[in-house]
Amino acid sequence: MSSNEGKILELVTDRDVQVQECEIGFGVFSNRSFRAGDIIGIATGEIIFDPDYSSDYCVELSSTMSIEPGAPFRFLNHCCEPNAEFASDEVSKRNQIPDLYVYACKAISAGEQILIDYQWPAHYAIPCECGSKNCRGWVVCDEELHLIEFE
Ligand SMILES: [Zn+2]
């Protein structure tokens, strides 16, 4: 544990979550409890209209559109057993850009880190150290795990 543990970054806090230093850099932590299915927040950020765009943090909104999330949700860490997920809302298309929701897929307690499953394709995969019981060993989506094992 670093001596910075618990230090809260200013200017990147939201009402219900906060970006906080953790063992692997920064993470998003809950300030309240959420029930499974609750919306934790809406990710905002730069919208990129390029079907070939990719980065460590971008999330695909459609076949031609990605979002590069800003704080706080840019700092969501990966876990093979996540407690949250992204879901884009194709119904409310203000400016034709779907909103990207972060919602709880499990109950989350106040103070708990909010974690999503990055589900990266095999060619982006890095070893996973999430420590969950069912860790896949790699930050990669289930369907492409076999591609790594044969590399
Ligand atoms: Zn893992």
Side-chain angles (χ1 to χ4, degrees):
M1 297 279 170
S2 82
S3 58
N4 287 323
E5 194 197 354
K7 185 176 141 193
I8 296 164
L9 288 187
E10 284 178 56
L11 302 174
V12 290
T13 59
D14 208 12
R15 194 165 47 99
D16 293 334
V17 297
Q18 65 189 31
V19 174
Q20 211 174 302
E21 289 197 282
C22 63
E23 293 117 276
I24 57 164
F26 295 102
V28 182
F29 290 78
S30 177
N31 283 334
R32 48 161 278 201
S33 58
F34 292 95
R35 292 162 306 177
D38 281 353
I39 292 169
I40 298 167
I42 298 176
T44 54
E46 190 189 348
I47 305 296
I48 294 141
F49 297 92
D50 177 356
D52 299 321
Y53 182 81
S54 79
S55 80
D56 284 355
Y57 299 106
C58 77
V59 180
E60 216 171 74
L61 295 174
S62 73
S63 57
T64 57
M65 210 189 301
S66 302
I67 182 169
E68 190 67 65
F73 296 115
R74 184 179 190 79
F75 295 96
L76 285 170
N77 287 317
H78 165 88
C79 182
C80 295
E81 291 183 74
N83 56 15
E85 282 177 18
F86 280 128
S88 60
D89 174 10
E90 286 164 31
V91 180
S92 80
K93 285 188 178 173
R94 203 163 51 150
N95 305 321
Q96 304 298 337
I97 296 168
D99 286 327
L100 182 65
Y101 290 95
V102 181
Y103 73 93
C105 55
K106 287 179 188 164
I108 299 173
S109 322
E112 206 177 315
Q113 186 171 184
I114 297 168
L115 298 159
I116 59 165
D117 187 340
Y118 285 0
Q119 301 190 33
W120 282 346
H123 60 279
Y124 290 121
I126 57 169
C128 183
E129 293 172 15
C130 76
S132 68
K133 221 191 309 165
N134 296 313
C135 179
R136 297 192 288 271
W138 293 87
V139 180
V140 68
C141 64
D142 250 339
E143 302 77 57
E144 298 211 0
L145 183 60
H146 69 284
L147 298 174
I148 294 173
E149 290 169 336
F150 292 112
E151 261 171 20

